[in-house]
Amino acid sequence: MTHTNDSSEIVVAALYKFAALDDFEALREPLRQQMLEHDVKGTLLLAREGINGTVSGTRQGIDALLDWLRADPRLRDLDHKESCCDEHPFYRTKVKLKKEIVTLGIEGVDPNEQVGTYVEPEDWNALIADPEVLVIDTRNAYEVAIGSFEGAIDPRTTSFREFPEHVQAHYDPARHRKVAMFCTGGIRCEKASSFMLREGFEEVYHLKGGVLNYLERVPEEQSLWRGQCFVFDNRVTVRHDLSEGEFEQCHACRIPISPEDQQSEHYVPGVSCPHCWSSLPEKTREGARERQKQIELARKRGEPHPIGRDPRHREIEA
């Protein structure tokens, strides 16, 4: 899918595909070279089960990368969602090798073998309005706090690895016969649906393309989405029209912080926020101070990206 946009805009493409990539290690360097050649930034994850990540570049650069990926028959129908911004939301170009492209941590769960029923965004409202349907937000608590669908259950997980335990502790295939799940871009709920089918749940549905696809295709006046949507890049959140939201992200604890949070006495840009100021280990806090110092020095030198790495890192889970 190709979108037209102003030539000065940067296209942000969230993409993933579950596919049997037995040669995924050998794909790493050619893929990285394609990204570098077309000035595409961001991180892509490769594993035996497929590819996942979010990247940014010019219209021509993103199209060239997608064409290269889809030339592989295993990735021909690779799914991706787009939005635009004024500058790169990523600083570097990375391709990482992983055991899983989204980490559930349960052996034998493979969306390439079984997966739930895809639901188009236009049909999602009717499905989740059904009182017999259990609607689960498969994202983590810090994402749910920013926005979610009306009536959706928040598992209150801090990582996707905790999702299987939540399901096993709270839901019963005999009682919960219809389950609908969603996530940011579709990948987590694909894997979650595969897991739940393996657990014996009979009717398992998931939002095709995730929240980003829903926001793109469902008019705001018809939307059951409330709030903003967390994204795994420097925009932090997007609104219903996919424009950049007003949240920032604490570089110390990685929690999104609202405009109200930013007024707190405990908010120190790059160092602490109201969510972490009293609990961060001093080693982490010191790392955050040093990183912020390097960011400010880089800005003074006119460099386009900060130096150093985040004290904490969240894996791509869209």
Side-chain angles (χ1 to χ4, degrees):
M1 177 174 63
T2 299
H3 297 270
T4 59
N5 70 304
D6 186 281
S7 60
S8 64
E9 287 185 319
I10 292 296
V11 178
V12 182
L15 60 90
Y16 79 91
K17 172 65 178 176
F18 284 104
L21 302 179
D22 293 334
D23 59 342
F24 72 99
E25 295 102 332
L27 292 174
R28 180 183 188 178
E29 191 55 30
L31 175 55
R32 179 176 170 273
Q33 288 302 318
Q34 282 292 316
M35 294 173 68
L36 291 171
E37 181 179 339
H38 297 285
D39 192 29
V40 174
K41 301 182 186 298
T43 300
L44 291 177
L45 308 181
L46 286 172
R48 195 172 302 277
E49 68 180 8
I51 184 171
N52 175 34
T54 306
V55 294
S56 63
T58 62
R59 173 77 275 161
Q60 294 77 13
I62 293 297
D63 285 347
L65 175 63
L66 292 173
D67 287 346
W68 186 85
L69 288 168
R70 288 174 176 148
D72 186 324
R74 299 168 297 181
L75 302 176
R76 184 174 295 122
D77 57 348
L78 174 123
D79 186 46
H80 90 285
K81 296 294 171 287
E82 293 185 0
S83 57
C84 294
C85 55
D86 294 332
E87 58 185 17
H88 275 290
F90 300 108
Y91 301 127
R92 297 176 179 83
T93 297
K94 299 179 181 178
V95 179
K96 297 182 178 181
L97 302 181
K98 294 286 184 176
K99 185 175 181 179
E100 300 178 74
I101 55 173
V102 59
T103 305
L104 186 64
I106 301 291
E107 293 291 338
V109 176
D110 187 356
N112 291 310
E113 296 181 359
Q114 67 172 354
V115 71
T117 301
Y118 296 97
V119 180
E120 296 291 344
E122 294 82 357
D123 301 322
W124 182 250
N125 287 357
L127 175 66
I128 66 175
D130 184 342
E132 295 185 1
V133 174
L134 180 72
V135 184
I136 306 175
D137 192 331
T138 66
R139 302 171 307 146
N140 298 323
Y142 69 93
E143 300 170 79
V144 180
I146 294 171
S148 191
F149 284 107
E150 285 185 4
I153 292 172
D154 176 7
R156 299 187 181 279
T157 56
T158 58
S159 78
F160 191 44
R161 283 180 174 272
E162 298 173 5
F163 184 77
E165 182 179 349
H166 172 82
V167 170
Q168 292 165 347
H170 294 91
Y171 311 126
D172 180 358
R175 292 190 299 115
H176 304 104
R177 298 185 179 278
K178 297 181 181 180
V179 180
M181 296 178 293
F182 62 93
C183 57
T184 307
I187 185 170
R188 273 179 284 188
C189 45
E190 275 208 43
K191 202 157 198 180
S193 74
S194 182
F195 166 74
M196 295 194 77
L197 287 170
R198 200 185 75 160
E199 290 292 296
F201 293 86
E202 294 182 3
E203 290 188 52
V204 182
Y205 304 90
H206 51 108
L207 178 58
K208 186 176 182 180
V211 177
L212 295 178
N213 195 28
Y214 180 92
L215 298 182
E216 179 181 354
R217 291 169 55 178
V218 175
E220 189 167 1
E221 60 271 18
Q222 299 174 18
S223 177
L224 296 181
W225 178 263
R226 299 294 178 261
Q228 297 183 27
C229 181
F230 180 86
V231 290
F232 291 85
D233 60 58
N234 291 339
R235 295 172 299 170
V236 185
T237 64
V238 293
R239 298 182 176 88
H240 200 288
D241 64 358
L242 298 180
S243 64
E244 184 175 346
E246 69 267 24
F247 281 75
E248 297 291 340
Q249 192 168 29
C250 176
H251 290 300
C253 68
R254 309 306 296 151
I255 295 295
I257 47 178
S258 67
E260 292 75 22
D261 290 334
Q262 294 167 44
Q263 299 304 312
S264 168
E265 62 180 313
H266 302 303
Y267 174 57
V268 180
V271 177
S272 68
C273 74
H275 301 284
C276 69
W277 72 276
S278 63
S279 60
L280 272 183
E282 184 54 35
K283 183 177 181 180
T284 300
R285 197 186 304 275
E286 184 57 36
R289 290 193 190 100
E290 180 59 29
R291 181 179 189 273
Q292 186 63 23
K293 176 182 176 181
Q294 296 301 323
I295 289 174
E296 292 171 1
L297 288 173
R299 285 174 177 165
K300 288 180 180 179
R301 291 193 292 263
E303 295 180 358
H305 59 80
I307 298 171
R309 64 186 300 275
D310 292 338
R312 297 183 180 181
H313 172 70
R314 295 193 189 278
E315 184 174 302
I316 299 168
E317 293 185 332

